[in-house]
Amino acid sequence: MERSAKSTHLDPELSRRLHRALTCGKEELFEAILDSSPEVLRAALRNPALDGNHLLALLGRRDLTEDLLRTVAGLDTVAGNHNLTVALVQNPATPAGVALSLLPRLYLFELVTLSELPGTTPDQRLAAERAIVQRLPTTPLGNRITLARRASASVLDALMKEGDVRVVEPCLANPRLKEASVFQLVSSARSSTEAIAAVARHQRWASRPNLKIAMIKNPRTPSTVFVSLLAGAPAMELRNLAVSGRLGQEQKRLIGEELRRRGF
């Protein structure tokens, strides 16, 4: 450590850059924050001329150290500036603890953008998705519909659980949606008939065997969908459903007719 400190002290070029970063005016400070030396960057952070525009330019760099970013996060200028907060969270080198503490300050679709950024770490992505899900109960319908078109699989799963057909339909068209989320919807006795019907008529999902069986087993499935699914259901499955306590009498009657049609 002594040798390093002595070497730094004797380096006239570094000393010049340090002094310039600490004392230069606003325009020159933009050049100083491009310096490759962490010491020079720290000096720039102490420059009285430093403002939000300088910090935005600095946070656009992807070669900053965690220590420097931690220092930036502690500046009063950042605390009151939304754009700087977003830039700090989006920098992949920002320490996880710092980034997570700033997530509540982000707007909903800033969280979505963060979860989509190529440089976002798995922990940051997961935290952003959790923050989105936590806000869903108070998110307006229009934003939830937009979210359904863009969201990741975990957020789509939460949106599907709400069961609102106006949100379910755009979810079904999202390529990130997993079959498990659709299965949970069509299996639930709390799902609306409209939401189940949306799945039944969707080109991507209508032919999935597991989803077909789940819809036949659900007492909430619309009768028109139920009848259309019976023809392709295995006879053994229909026999089991005929004695199931979950289905209503009308559905059981339709199952009985289908079995008789097949000669059972």
Side-chain angles (χ1 to χ4, degrees):
M1 292 294 292
E2 290 181 2
R3 182 177 302 173
S4 175
K6 183 178 181 180
S7 174
T8 301
H9 178 71
L10 295 176
D11 183 347
E13 172 59 21
L14 180 57
S15 295
R16 183 191 68 79
R17 285 154 52 202
L18 286 168
H19 181 266
R20 178 171 174 267
L22 188 61
T23 61
C24 66
K26 284 183 177 293
E27 293 304 317
E28 289 180 299
L29 190 53
F30 280 108
E31 297 180 15
I33 62 175
L34 298 177
D35 200 287
S36 60
S37 168
E39 291 87 351
V40 173
L41 296 180
R42 285 188 175 280
L45 293 180
R46 299 195 300 273
N47 188 312
L50 183 77
D51 63 21
N53 292 326
H54 297 114
L55 290 173
L56 277 176
L58 177 65
L59 291 171
R61 292 179 56 168
R62 292 297 181 261
D63 59 345
L64 304 178
T65 65
E66 287 194 0
D67 284 343
L68 185 71
L69 286 164
R70 194 174 283 109
T71 299
V72 172
L75 296 174
D76 291 340
T77 306
V78 174
N81 189 305
H82 185 77
N83 289 336
L84 289 176
T85 299
V86 174
L88 188 59
V89 172
Q90 291 182 349
N91 193 299
T94 298
V98 172
L100 296 183
S101 70
L102 296 175
L103 288 183
R105 302 185 193 176
L106 269 59
Y107 301 133
L108 178 67
F109 287 101
E110 289 171 343
L111 290 169
V112 175
T113 298
L114 175 62
S115 70
E116 296 172 340
L117 286 176
T120 302
T121 67
D123 286 345
Q124 286 176 322
R125 183 174 293 107
L126 180 61
E129 291 171 347
R130 285 176 175 171
I132 294 169
V133 170
Q134 288 173 354
R135 297 187 191 185
L136 289 182
T138 58
T139 299
L141 175 62
N143 285 350
R144 282 187 285 131
I145 291 173
T146 301
L147 191 58
R149 298 189 181 107
R150 291 185 53 185
S152 62
S154 61
V155 176
L156 288 170
D157 186 66
L159 288 169
M160 290 287 285
K161 287 177 181 176
E162 293 183 355
D164 188 330
V165 68
R166 296 169 295 180
V167 178
V168 166
E169 287 181 334
C171 282
L172 294 173
N174 189 320
R176 299 185 181 94
L177 182 65
K178 304 298 183 184
E179 183 172 329
S181 298
V182 185
F183 182 86
Q184 189 171 38
L185 173 76
V186 297
S187 298
S188 174
R190 295 189 300 274
S191 293
S192 69
T193 57
E194 294 82 6
I196 296 173
V199 175
R201 65 175 174 261
H202 197 280
Q203 184 177 4
R204 179 184 173 192
W205 304 107
S207 60
R208 305 282 179 106
N210 288 340
L211 300 182
K212 286 182 176 182
I213 295 298
M215 285 187 280
I216 293 176
K217 291 180 178 180
N218 195 330
R220 301 283 292 174
T221 297
S223 57
T224 53
V225 173
F226 187 82
V227 170
S228 68
L229 293 172
L230 288 180
M236 182 61 70
E237 193 70 55
L238 293 181
R239 286 172 177 167
N240 291 336
L241 286 171
V243 295
S244 170
R246 184 177 182 183
L247 298 181
Q249 291 303 312
E250 177 60 18
Q251 289 173 312
K252 289 182 179 181
R253 184 187 67 79
L254 293 171
I255 291 172
E257 287 183 359
E258 177 62 25
L259 287 172
R260 285 192 293 275
R261 187 185 68 80
R262 299 187 192 185
F264 292 101

